[in-house]
Amino acid sequence: MDISWKHLTHLGSFAGRAAYIDISHLKEAIHSLFTWIHRYLDKNEGSYPDAERHAVFYSVCQAALYVICFKQDLLSNNFDHGFMKNLRIQRVLESSLNPLILILSTVVQEFHQFTQNLSYINCGQILERNKNIVLPTKSSYGGSNHLDTFFPFDPYLLKHSSQYFKGYYTYWKSENDIESSEDDDFTPDHDSVQGKPSFQIDLSSSWERAQFMVEDNEEMNMSISPLPMSGYMNSFY
C-alpha cells in the first residue's frame, strides 16, 4: 500500500483529536504505527536523516508521538508499562535516522516532558546531541530537507453548530490546561488560556492560536497548521 505523509497527518490528527477512541483501540493504533516503524528500521538502519527520502518514516514517527502526547491523560489513567516497553521506542529514537531531529520540535518537547520519568525512554541525551548536528538544507533528492507538517483536524470555531461536536473532540491539555474539554461550555472561544504552561509549548493548531490572538491578544507558542490571514478570524460568528 502506498502511504504518503498526508495520510499520516490525517491518521495522527484523527487519533489524537477523536475523544471517543477508547484505550484498547488507542493502544492498537499506537502499536500498529510502531510496528511499521520497526519494520522500516530493519531495512534502513544505518541510513542518514533525510526528510525527503524517508518522509513517510518521519511522518509515522511524528504521528505516533503526536497521538501519545494528545492522549497522555488516557494513557496515564490506564498506564501500562509493559505496553510502552514493548513499543521499543528507545530503539526508534536512537536509530541512525534520528527522528527527533526532523519531526516537529514542539511535539518532541512535549513527548520528552511526558516520558521523562520513564527509565526506559530517554530523550534528553539525544536532544543534547542533536544540538550539535547541522543537517544539509537540501535532501538527497534535491528538495528541502524539512518535514512537511500539517494536522487537519483543527477545532471547529463556529459557535452555534459547534454544539454538534460536543463530546467527540479532544482539546489540548497541558499541566495548566491550555485547552479544556468540558462539554458544558463547548464553544469556539472555549480554548482560552488558563495559565502559562510550565514548558513553553502548545500542541494547539493555528486556528486555536488565531482565536487566542483575536480574543485575548495572547499568542500561543506552537502551531501545527498554517496560520490564517490576519483578520480572518473576525469573520466567524
Short mmCIF file of all heavy atoms in Angstrom, two decimals, residues 69-127:
data_model
loop_
_atom_site.label_atom_id
_atom_site.label_comp_id
_atom_site.label_asym_id
_atom_site.label_seq_id
_atom_site.Cartn_x
_atom_site.Cartn_y
_atom_site.Cartn_z
N CYS A 69 1.15 12.20 22.86
CA CYS A 69 1.08 13.48 23.55
C CYS A 69 -0.37 13.90 23.79
O CYS A 69 -0.74 14.31 24.89
CB CYS A 69 1.80 14.56 22.75
SG CYS A 69 3.60 14.38 22.71
N PHE A 70 -1.19 13.79 22.75
CA PHE A 70 -2.57 14.24 22.87
C PHE A 70 -3.39 13.33 23.78
O PHE A 70 -4.36 13.78 24.41
CB PHE A 70 -3.23 14.32 21.49
CG PHE A 70 -3.49 15.73 21.05
CD1 PHE A 70 -2.59 16.38 20.23
CD2 PHE A 70 -4.62 16.42 21.47
CE1 PHE A 70 -2.81 17.69 19.83
CE2 PHE A 70 -4.85 17.72 21.08
CZ PHE A 70 -3.95 18.36 20.26
N LYS A 71 -3.04 12.06 23.85
CA LYS A 71 -3.79 11.10 24.65
C LYS A 71 -3.07 10.76 25.95
O LYS A 71 -3.32 9.72 26.55
CB LYS A 71 -4.04 9.83 23.85
CG LYS A 71 -4.92 10.03 22.62
CD LYS A 71 -6.33 10.46 22.99
CE LYS A 71 -7.24 10.50 21.78
NZ LYS A 71 -8.61 10.93 22.13
N GLN A 72 -2.21 11.65 26.42
CA GLN A 72 -1.42 11.31 27.61
C GLN A 72 -2.30 11.15 28.85
O GLN A 72 -1.98 10.36 29.74
CB GLN A 72 -0.33 12.35 27.85
CG GLN A 72 -0.80 13.77 27.99
CD GLN A 72 0.38 14.72 28.16
OE1 GLN A 72 0.97 14.81 29.24
NE2 GLN A 72 0.74 15.42 27.10
N ASP A 73 -3.42 11.87 28.92
CA ASP A 73 -4.32 11.69 30.07
C ASP A 73 -4.90 10.28 30.08
O ASP A 73 -4.91 9.60 31.11
CB ASP A 73 -5.46 12.71 30.01
CG ASP A 73 -5.03 14.08 30.46
OD1 ASP A 73 -3.91 14.20 30.99
OD2 ASP A 73 -5.80 15.03 30.28
N LEU A 74 -5.38 9.83 28.92
CA LEU A 74 -5.96 8.49 28.82
C LEU A 74 -4.91 7.43 29.08
O LEU A 74 -5.16 6.45 29.78
CB LEU A 74 -6.58 8.30 27.44
CG LEU A 74 -7.30 6.97 27.16
CD1 LEU A 74 -8.43 6.76 28.16
CD2 LEU A 74 -7.83 6.93 25.74
N LEU A 75 -3.71 7.64 28.53
CA LEU A 75 -2.63 6.68 28.74
C LEU A 75 -2.18 6.65 30.20
O LEU A 75 -1.88 5.59 30.75
CB LEU A 75 -1.44 7.01 27.83
CG LEU A 75 -1.65 6.76 26.34
CD1 LEU A 75 -0.50 7.35 25.54
CD2 LEU A 75 -1.75 5.26 26.05
N SER A 76 -2.14 7.83 30.83
CA SER A 76 -1.71 7.90 32.22
C SER A 76 -2.71 7.24 33.15
O SER A 76 -2.34 6.57 34.12
CB SER A 76 -1.51 9.37 32.62
OG SER A 76 -0.46 9.96 31.88
N ASN A 77 -4.00 7.44 32.87
CA ASN A 77 -5.03 6.84 33.71
C ASN A 77 -5.09 5.33 33.57
O ASN A 77 -5.61 4.64 34.45
CB ASN A 77 -6.40 7.44 33.37
CG ASN A 77 -6.50 8.90 33.74
OD1 ASN A 77 -5.79 9.37 34.63
ND2 ASN A 77 -7.37 9.64 33.07
N ASN A 78 -4.59 4.85 32.46
CA ASN A 78 -4.57 3.39 32.22
C ASN A 78 -3.15 2.94 31.90
O ASN A 78 -2.94 2.15 30.99
CB ASN A 78 -5.51 3.03 31.06
CG ASN A 78 -6.94 3.47 31.29
OD1 ASN A 78 -7.74 2.75 31.83
ND2 ASN A 78 -7.26 4.70 30.84
N PHE A 79 -2.19 3.48 32.67
CA PHE A 79 -0.80 3.32 32.25
C PHE A 79 -0.37 1.86 32.30
O PHE A 79 -0.62 1.15 33.27
CB PHE A 79 0.15 4.17 33.09
CG PHE A 79 1.41 4.50 32.34
CD1 PHE A 79 1.44 5.57 31.47
CD2 PHE A 79 2.54 3.72 32.47
CE1 PHE A 79 2.58 5.87 30.75
CE2 PHE A 79 3.69 4.01 31.76
CZ PHE A 79 3.71 5.10 30.90
N ASP A 80 0.28 1.45 31.23
CA ASP A 80 0.70 0.07 31.07
C ASP A 80 2.17 0.09 30.66
O ASP A 80 2.51 0.29 29.51
CB ASP A 80 -0.15 -0.61 29.98
CG ASP A 80 0.15 -2.09 29.83
OD1 ASP A 80 1.21 -2.54 30.31
OD2 ASP A 80 -0.67 -2.79 29.22
N HIS A 81 3.05 -0.12 31.65
CA HIS A 81 4.49 -0.08 31.36
C HIS A 81 4.88 -1.19 30.39
O HIS A 81 5.77 -1.01 29.56
CB HIS A 81 5.28 -0.21 32.66
CG HIS A 81 5.28 1.03 33.49
ND1 HIS A 81 6.04 2.13 33.19
CD2 HIS A 81 4.58 1.34 34.62
CE1 HIS A 81 5.83 3.07 34.10
NE2 HIS A 81 4.96 2.62 34.97
N GLY A 82 4.22 -2.32 30.50
CA GLY A 82 4.53 -3.42 29.58
C GLY A 82 4.25 -3.03 28.14
O GLY A 82 5.05 -3.32 27.24
N PHE A 83 3.11 -2.37 27.93
CA PHE A 83 2.76 -1.92 26.58
C PHE A 83 3.79 -0.93 26.06
O PHE A 83 4.27 -1.04 24.92
CB PHE A 83 1.38 -1.28 26.60
CG PHE A 83 1.01 -0.57 25.33
CD1 PHE A 83 0.66 -1.27 24.19
CD2 PHE A 83 1.04 0.83 25.27
CE1 PHE A 83 0.34 -0.61 23.00
CE2 PHE A 83 0.72 1.50 24.10
CZ PHE A 83 0.37 0.78 22.97
N MET A 84 4.15 0.06 26.88
CA MET A 84 5.10 1.09 26.45
C MET A 84 6.48 0.48 26.17
O MET A 84 7.15 0.85 25.21
CB MET A 84 5.21 2.17 27.52
CG MET A 84 3.95 3.02 27.68
SD MET A 84 3.57 4.03 26.22
CE MET A 84 4.87 5.26 26.30
N LYS A 85 6.90 -0.46 27.01
CA LYS A 85 8.20 -1.11 26.79
C LYS A 85 8.21 -1.92 25.50
O LYS A 85 9.21 -1.91 24.77
CB LYS A 85 8.54 -2.01 27.98
CG LYS A 85 8.91 -1.26 29.24
CD LYS A 85 9.24 -2.23 30.38
CE LYS A 85 9.62 -1.49 31.64
NZ LYS A 85 9.92 -2.42 32.77
N ASN A 86 7.11 -2.58 25.22
CA ASN A 86 7.03 -3.41 24.02
C ASN A 86 7.06 -2.59 22.73
O ASN A 86 7.33 -3.14 21.65
CB ASN A 86 5.77 -4.28 24.05
CG ASN A 86 5.87 -5.41 25.05
OD1 ASN A 86 6.97 -5.83 25.42
ND2 ASN A 86 4.73 -5.90 25.51
N LEU A 87 6.78 -1.31 22.83
CA LEU A 87 6.87 -0.44 21.65
C LEU A 87 8.32 -0.20 21.22
O LEU A 87 8.57 0.22 20.09
CB LEU A 87 6.19 0.91 21.93
CG LEU A 87 4.68 0.88 22.19
CD1 LEU A 87 4.18 2.28 22.53
CD2 LEU A 87 3.91 0.32 20.99
N ARG A 88 9.24 -0.46 22.13
CA ARG A 88 10.69 -0.27 21.87
C ARG A 88 10.97 1.13 21.29
O ARG A 88 11.67 1.29 20.30
CB ARG A 88 11.21 -1.35 20.93
CG ARG A 88 11.12 -2.76 21.51
CD ARG A 88 11.77 -3.77 20.58
NE ARG A 88 11.02 -3.87 19.33
CZ ARG A 88 11.53 -4.32 18.18
NH1 ARG A 88 12.80 -4.68 18.13
NH2 ARG A 88 10.78 -4.40 17.10
N ILE A 89 10.42 2.11 21.97
CA ILE A 89 10.54 3.49 21.49
C ILE A 89 11.99 3.96 21.49
O ILE A 89 12.42 4.70 20.59
CB ILE A 89 9.67 4.42 22.35
CG1 ILE A 89 8.19 4.05 22.16
CG2 ILE A 89 9.89 5.88 21.98
CD1 ILE A 89 7.23 4.85 23.02
N GLN A 90 12.76 3.52 22.49
CA GLN A 90 14.15 3.99 22.57
C GLN A 90 14.95 3.58 21.35
O GLN A 90 15.81 4.33 20.88
CB GLN A 90 14.81 3.45 23.85
CG GLN A 90 16.11 4.16 24.22
CD GLN A 90 15.92 5.63 24.54
OE1 GLN A 90 14.84 6.04 24.98
NE2 GLN A 90 16.94 6.42 24.32
N ARG A 91 14.69 2.40 20.82
CA ARG A 91 15.38 1.96 19.61
C ARG A 91 15.11 2.93 18.46
O ARG A 91 16.00 3.26 17.69
CB ARG A 91 14.92 0.56 19.22
CG ARG A 91 15.65 0.04 17.96
CD ARG A 91 14.75 -0.76 17.05
NE ARG A 91 15.47 -1.20 15.84
CZ ARG A 91 14.90 -1.85 14.84
NH1 ARG A 91 13.62 -2.17 14.89
NH2 ARG A 91 15.60 -2.19 13.77
N VAL A 92 13.85 3.38 18.37
CA VAL A 92 13.47 4.31 17.31
C VAL A 92 14.20 5.64 17.48
O VAL A 92 14.78 6.19 16.53
CB VAL A 92 11.95 4.53 17.31
CG1 VAL A 92 11.55 5.54 16.24
CG2 VAL A 92 11.21 3.21 17.11
N LEU A 93 14.19 6.16 18.71
CA LEU A 93 14.80 7.46 18.97
C LEU A 93 16.30 7.45 18.72
O LEU A 93 16.86 8.45 18.26
CB LEU A 93 14.51 7.89 20.42
CG LEU A 93 13.03 7.94 20.85
CD1 LEU A 93 12.93 8.44 22.28
CD2 LEU A 93 12.23 8.82 19.90
N GLU A 94 16.96 6.33 19.03
CA GLU A 94 18.41 6.23 18.89
C GLU A 94 18.85 5.73 17.53
O GLU A 94 20.05 5.59 17.27
CB GLU A 94 18.97 5.31 19.97
CG GLU A 94 18.81 5.85 21.38
CD GLU A 94 19.35 4.90 22.44
OE1 GLU A 94 19.63 3.73 22.09
OE2 GLU A 94 19.50 5.33 23.60
N SER A 95 17.92 5.47 16.63
CA SER A 95 18.27 4.96 15.31
C SER A 95 19.06 5.99 14.51
O SER A 95 19.05 7.19 14.82
CB SER A 95 17.00 4.57 14.53
OG SER A 95 16.25 5.72 14.18
N SER A 96 19.74 5.52 13.49
CA SER A 96 20.55 6.41 12.66
C SER A 96 19.70 7.44 11.92
O SER A 96 20.20 8.51 11.55
CB SER A 96 21.35 5.59 11.64
OG SER A 96 20.48 4.89 10.76
N LEU A 97 18.42 7.16 11.72
CA LEU A 97 17.53 8.11 11.06
C LEU A 97 17.13 9.26 11.98
O LEU A 97 16.60 10.28 11.51
CB LEU A 97 16.28 7.40 10.53
CG LEU A 97 16.52 6.46 9.34
CD1 LEU A 97 15.22 5.76 8.95
CD2 LEU A 97 17.07 7.23 8.16
N ASN A 98 17.37 9.10 13.28
CA ASN A 98 17.27 10.20 14.24
C ASN A 98 15.97 11.00 14.09
O ASN A 98 16.00 12.20 13.75
CB ASN A 98 18.48 11.13 14.08
CG ASN A 98 18.65 12.09 15.25
OD1 ASN A 98 17.86 12.09 16.19
ND2 ASN A 98 19.67 12.92 15.18
N PRO A 99 14.81 10.40 14.34
CA PRO A 99 13.55 11.11 14.09
C PRO A 99 13.37 12.39 14.89
O PRO A 99 12.72 13.32 14.43
CB PRO A 99 12.48 10.07 14.47
CG PRO A 99 13.18 9.10 15.36
CD PRO A 99 14.58 9.04 14.87
N LEU A 100 13.98 12.48 16.08
CA LEU A 100 13.80 13.67 16.90
C LEU A 100 14.39 14.93 16.28
O LEU A 100 14.03 16.04 16.67
CB LEU A 100 14.41 13.46 18.30
CG LEU A 100 13.78 12.37 19.17
CD1 LEU A 100 14.37 12.40 20.56
CD2 LEU A 100 12.26 12.52 19.23
N ILE A 101 15.27 14.77 15.31
CA ILE A 101 15.91 15.94 14.70
C ILE A 101 15.07 16.53 13.57
O ILE A 101 15.30 17.67 13.15
CB ILE A 101 17.33 15.59 14.19
CG1 ILE A 101 18.18 16.85 14.11
CG2 ILE A 101 17.28 14.87 12.84
CD1 ILE A 101 19.65 16.58 13.84
N LEU A 102 14.08 15.78 13.08
CA LEU A 102 13.31 16.25 11.93
C LEU A 102 11.82 16.45 12.20
O LEU A 102 11.19 17.26 11.54
CB LEU A 102 13.49 15.30 10.75
CG LEU A 102 14.76 15.54 9.92
CD1 LEU A 102 14.99 14.41 8.92
CD2 LEU A 102 14.68 16.87 9.17
N ILE A 103 11.25 15.71 13.14
CA ILE A 103 9.83 15.92 13.39
C ILE A 103 9.65 17.20 14.19
O ILE A 103 10.59 17.76 14.73
CB ILE A 103 9.20 14.71 14.11
CG1 ILE A 103 9.76 14.53 15.52
CG2 ILE A 103 9.41 13.44 13.30
CD1 ILE A 103 9.11 13.38 16.27
N LEU A 104 8.42 17.68 14.24
CA LEU A 104 8.11 18.97 14.82
C LEU A 104 8.69 19.09 16.23
O LEU A 104 8.42 18.27 17.10
CB LEU A 104 6.59 19.15 14.86
CG LEU A 104 6.06 20.55 15.09
CD1 LEU A 104 6.39 21.45 13.91
CD2 LEU A 104 4.55 20.50 15.30
N SER A 105 9.47 20.14 16.46
CA SER A 105 10.21 20.25 17.72
C SER A 105 9.30 20.35 18.93
O SER A 105 9.64 19.85 20.01
CB SER A 105 11.13 21.48 17.67
OG SER A 105 10.37 22.67 17.52
N THR A 106 8.13 20.94 18.77
CA THR A 106 7.24 21.06 19.92
C THR A 106 6.57 19.73 20.26
O THR A 106 6.25 19.48 21.42
CB THR A 106 6.17 22.14 19.64
OG1 THR A 106 5.76 22.05 18.27
CG2 THR A 106 6.73 23.52 19.89
N VAL A 107 6.37 18.88 19.29
CA VAL A 107 5.91 17.52 19.58
C VAL A 107 7.01 16.77 20.34
O VAL A 107 6.74 16.05 21.31
CB VAL A 107 5.55 16.76 18.28
CG1 VAL A 107 5.24 15.30 18.57
CG2 VAL A 107 4.37 17.42 17.58
N VAL A 108 8.24 16.96 19.91
CA VAL A 108 9.38 16.32 20.59
C VAL A 108 9.46 16.78 22.04
O VAL A 108 9.64 15.97 22.96
CB VAL A 108 10.70 16.65 19.85
CG1 VAL A 108 11.90 16.18 20.66
CG2 VAL A 108 10.70 16.02 18.47
N GLN A 109 9.32 18.09 22.26
CA GLN A 109 9.44 18.62 23.62
C GLN A 109 8.34 18.09 24.53
O GLN A 109 8.59 17.74 25.69
CB GLN A 109 9.38 20.15 23.57
CG GLN A 109 10.59 20.79 22.92
CD GLN A 109 10.41 22.29 22.77
OE1 GLN A 109 10.04 22.98 23.72
NE2 GLN A 109 10.64 22.80 21.58
N GLU A 110 7.12 18.02 24.01
CA GLU A 110 6.02 17.52 24.83
C GLU A 110 6.17 16.03 25.11
O GLU A 110 5.88 15.56 26.21
CB GLU A 110 4.68 17.80 24.15
CG GLU A 110 3.49 17.26 24.88
CD GLU A 110 3.34 17.83 26.29
OE1 GLU A 110 3.92 18.90 26.57
OE2 GLU A 110 2.67 17.18 27.12
N PHE A 111 6.64 15.28 24.11
CA PHE A 111 6.88 13.85 24.32
C PHE A 111 7.97 13.66 25.37
O PHE A 111 7.86 12.78 26.23
CB PHE A 111 7.28 13.19 23.01
CG PHE A 111 7.53 11.71 23.13
CD1 PHE A 111 6.48 10.81 23.24
CD2 PHE A 111 8.83 11.22 23.16
CE1 PHE A 111 6.71 9.45 23.37
CE2 PHE A 111 9.07 9.86 23.29
CZ PHE A 111 8.01 8.97 23.40
N HIS A 112 9.00 14.45 25.30
CA HIS A 112 10.07 14.40 26.30
C HIS A 112 9.52 14.69 27.69
O HIS A 112 9.87 14.02 28.67
CB HIS A 112 11.16 15.39 25.93
CG HIS A 112 12.27 15.52 26.94
ND1 HIS A 112 12.86 14.42 27.54
CD2 HIS A 112 12.88 16.61 27.45
CE1 HIS A 112 13.80 14.82 28.37
NE2 HIS A 112 13.82 16.15 28.35
N GLN A 113 8.64 15.69 27.79
CA GLN A 113 8.03 16.04 29.07
C GLN A 113 7.22 14.86 29.62
O GLN A 113 7.27 14.56 30.81
CB GLN A 113 7.12 17.26 28.88
CG GLN A 113 6.40 17.73 30.12
CD GLN A 113 7.30 18.49 31.07
OE1 GLN A 113 8.39 18.92 30.68
NE2 GLN A 113 6.87 18.63 32.32
N PHE A 114 6.47 14.20 28.74
CA PHE A 114 5.60 13.10 29.16
C PHE A 114 6.39 11.88 29.61
O PHE A 114 5.99 11.16 30.52
CB PHE A 114 4.66 12.72 28.01
CG PHE A 114 3.81 11.52 28.28
CD1 PHE A 114 2.90 11.51 29.32
CD2 PHE A 114 3.91 10.39 27.48
CE1 PHE A 114 2.10 10.40 29.57
CE2 PHE A 114 3.11 9.28 27.72
CZ PHE A 114 2.21 9.29 28.77
N THR A 115 7.54 11.63 28.98
CA THR A 115 8.27 10.38 29.22
C THR A 115 9.50 10.55 30.12
O THR A 115 10.22 9.58 30.34
CB THR A 115 8.74 9.77 27.88
OG1 THR A 115 9.60 10.71 27.20
CG2 THR A 115 7.54 9.46 27.00
N GLN A 116 9.73 11.73 30.63
CA GLN A 116 10.99 11.94 31.36
C GLN A 116 11.10 11.14 32.65
O GLN A 116 12.20 10.95 33.17
CB GLN A 116 11.18 13.43 31.65
CG GLN A 116 10.15 14.06 32.55
CD GLN A 116 10.43 15.54 32.76
OE1 GLN A 116 11.47 16.04 32.38
NE2 GLN A 116 9.50 16.24 33.39
N ASN A 117 9.98 10.66 33.15
CA ASN A 117 10.02 9.83 34.37
C ASN A 117 10.03 8.33 34.06
O ASN A 117 9.95 7.52 34.98
CB ASN A 117 8.82 10.16 35.26
CG ASN A 117 8.88 11.56 35.84
OD1 ASN A 117 9.96 12.05 36.17
ND2 ASN A 117 7.73 12.22 35.93
N LEU A 118 10.11 7.99 32.77
CA LEU A 118 10.17 6.59 32.38
C LEU A 118 11.63 6.20 32.15
O LEU A 118 12.30 6.78 31.30
CB LEU A 118 9.35 6.34 31.11
CG LEU A 118 7.86 6.72 31.19
CD1 LEU A 118 7.19 6.46 29.84
CD2 LEU A 118 7.17 5.93 32.30
N SER A 119 12.11 5.22 32.90
CA SER A 119 13.52 4.86 32.83
C SER A 119 13.91 4.25 31.48
O SER A 119 15.07 4.28 31.09
CB SER A 119 13.86 3.86 33.95
OG SER A 119 13.08 2.68 33.83
N TYR A 120 12.93 3.71 30.75
CA TYR A 120 13.23 3.03 29.50
C TYR A 120 13.06 3.92 28.27
O TYR A 120 13.20 3.45 27.15
CB TYR A 120 12.36 1.76 29.37
CG TYR A 120 10.90 1.97 29.70
CD1 TYR A 120 9.98 2.38 28.75
CD2 TYR A 120 10.45 1.73 31.00
CE1 TYR A 120 8.65 2.57 29.07
CE2 TYR A 120 9.12 1.92 31.33
CZ TYR A 120 8.22 2.34 30.37
OH TYR A 120 6.90 2.52 30.69
N ILE A 121 12.75 5.19 28.48
CA ILE A 121 12.69 6.15 27.37
C ILE A 121 13.49 7.38 27.78
O ILE A 121 13.15 8.05 28.75
CB ILE A 121 11.25 6.55 27.01
CG1 ILE A 121 10.44 5.33 26.60
CG2 ILE A 121 11.24 7.60 25.90
CD1 ILE A 121 8.97 5.63 26.30
N ASN A 122 14.54 7.69 27.05
CA ASN A 122 15.41 8.81 27.38
C ASN A 122 15.61 9.69 26.15
O ASN A 122 16.35 9.34 25.24
CB ASN A 122 16.76 8.30 27.89
CG ASN A 122 17.65 9.43 28.38
OD1 ASN A 122 17.36 10.60 28.19
ND2 ASN A 122 18.76 9.07 29.03
N CYS A 123 14.92 10.82 26.14
CA CYS A 123 15.07 11.76 25.03
C CYS A 123 16.16 12.78 25.28
O CYS A 123 16.73 13.35 24.35
CB CYS A 123 13.75 12.51 24.80
SG CYS A 123 12.34 11.50 24.36
N GLY A 124 16.46 13.03 26.56
CA GLY A 124 17.35 14.13 26.93
C GLY A 124 18.71 14.09 26.26
O GLY A 124 19.17 15.09 25.69
N GLN A 125 19.38 12.94 26.33
CA GLN A 125 20.72 12.83 25.75
C GLN A 125 20.69 13.00 24.24
O GLN A 125 21.59 13.61 23.65
CB GLN A 125 21.33 11.48 26.12
CG GLN A 125 21.63 11.33 27.60
CD GLN A 125 22.28 9.99 27.92
OE1 GLN A 125 22.32 9.08 27.07
NE2 GLN A 125 22.78 9.84 29.13
N ILE A 126 19.63 12.49 23.61
CA ILE A 126 19.51 12.62 22.15
C ILE A 126 19.29 14.08 21.77
O ILE A 126 19.89 14.59 20.81
CB ILE A 126 18.36 11.75 21.63
CG1 ILE A 126 18.62 10.28 21.97
CG2 ILE A 126 18.19 11.93 20.12
CD1 ILE A 126 17.45 9.37 21.66
N LEU A 127 18.47 14.78 22.53
CA LEU A 127 18.21 16.19 22.24
C LEU A 127 19.47 17.03 22.41
O LEU A 127 19.72 17.96 21.63
CB LEU A 127 17.09 16.71 23.15
CG LEU A 127 15.71 16.08 22.95
CD1 LEU A 127 14.71 16.65 23.95
CD2 LEU A 127 15.22 16.29 21.52
#
